[in-house]
């Protein structure tokens, strides 16, 4: 196991990480996008992005795009490279505000978090469409890990923390249980060559209806490219 530092809240750090990884000339067979914050007070990343959107979504968007060439070179017809992005059931209540992705007009920690998780689902579906159109041996899927007992809840109200402490053993998954669907998506033979899926409890299920809006997927992708400063070659594809 080797460790390379990468701060998903920093575009500079992401670019430096990718540069270091590429210098190793290693193949890349599995990429898991799993960093995140939840219900943080209104604040910005060093690049000026609202933190939920910047870290949970844009960081993964940039990282994935910068690693796509390596992933494409690593995948084969019989063994596709795999991209797994961790979203949340919260995306079902999320609304994507294309004119206010930074939640400047009216900030709500819950709304900002849900929007970032919906963006990850839209991103995954658009990415899979582009990978298929290019004939790439890479698949992209999105995972809902369920309610997991981790430090992600440290910004919730104290009452919720008390309830969580009292009921976690009954209602919350352990970190190991929460990781099971991600691991399934990463290594299961059943997922070989299968992309564009929303997975929960190691099963394919339906995501929010709005996530299947292809025009919304395209618009978010184009806007995301502008925000992180990369070329939007995908805009020329259907």
């Amino acid at each position: 196991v080797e460790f390379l530092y990468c701060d998903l809240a920093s575009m500079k750090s992401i670019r430096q990480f990718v540069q270091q990884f590429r210098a190793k000339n290693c193949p890349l067979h599995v990429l898991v996008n799993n960093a995140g914050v939840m219900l943080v007070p209104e604040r910005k990343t060093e690049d000026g992005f609202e933190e939920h959107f910047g870290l949970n979504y844009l960081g993964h968007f940039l990282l994935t795009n910068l690693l796509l060439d390596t992933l494409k070179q690593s995948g084969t017809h019989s063994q596709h490279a795999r991209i797994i992005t961790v979203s949340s059931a919260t995306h079902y209540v999320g609304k994507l505000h294309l004119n206010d992705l930074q939640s400047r007009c009216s900030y709500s920690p819950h709304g900002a978090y849900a929007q970032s998780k919906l963006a990850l689902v839209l991103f995954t579906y658009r990415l899979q469409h582009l990978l298929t159109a290019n004939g790439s041996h890479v698949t992209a899927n999105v995972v809902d890990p369920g309610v997991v007992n981790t430090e992600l809840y440290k910004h919730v109200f104290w009452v919720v923390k008390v309830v969580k402490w009292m009921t976690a053993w009954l209602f919350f998954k352990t970190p190991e249980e929460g990781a099971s669907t991600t691991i399934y998506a990463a290594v299961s033979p059943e997922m070989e060559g299968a992309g564009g899926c929303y997975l929960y409890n190691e099963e394919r299920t339906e995501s929010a209806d709005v996530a299947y809006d292809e025009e919304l997927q395209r618009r978010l992708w184009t806007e995301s490219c502008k925000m992180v400063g990369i070329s939007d070659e995908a805009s020329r594809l259907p």
Side-chain angles (χ1 to χ4, degrees), residues 65-196:
N65 272 279
L66 294 181
L67 291 172
L68 266 183
D69 285 344
T70 306
L71 284 157
K72 291 176 181 178
Q73 293 166 9
S74 304
T76 65
H77 178 73
S78 59
Q79 188 175 17
H80 286 60
R82 305 185 188 191
I83 302 167
I84 299 94
T85 298
V86 180
S87 181
S88 161
T90 312
H91 92 275
Y92 286 106
V93 297
K95 294 182 180 179
L96 194 78
H97 302 284
L98 276 172
N99 296 323
D100 186 27
L101 292 171
Q102 303 301 318
S103 303
R104 294 190 179 100
C105 294
S106 177
Y107 182 77
S108 159
H110 296 83
Y113 177 70
Q115 176 180 244
S116 71
K117 291 300 178 179
L118 174 58
L120 289 170
V121 183
L122 288 158
F123 156 66
T124 299
Y125 291 165
R126 180 59 179 167
L127 176 59
Q128 183 58 57
H129 173 82
L130 298 172
L131 291 168
T132 301
N134 284 313
S136 303
H137 298 307
V138 183
T139 58
N141 291 297
V142 61
V143 166
D144 172 4
V147 183
V148 188
N149 188 14
T150 68
E151 289 298 308
L152 191 63
Y153 297 86
K154 63 183 180 181
H155 292 288
V156 300
F157 294 123
W158 69 268
V159 175
V160 178
K161 289 182 180 179
V162 172
V163 173
K164 174 180 175 290
W165 177 74
M166 295 175 63
T167 62
W169 64 275
L170 183 61
F171 298 112
F172 284 62
K173 293 182 178 181
T174 65
E176 291 77 12
E177 292 169 338
S180 65
T181 303
T182 298
I183 295 170
Y184 172 80
V187 302
S188 171
E190 296 174 17
M191 293 303 297
E192 174 55 43

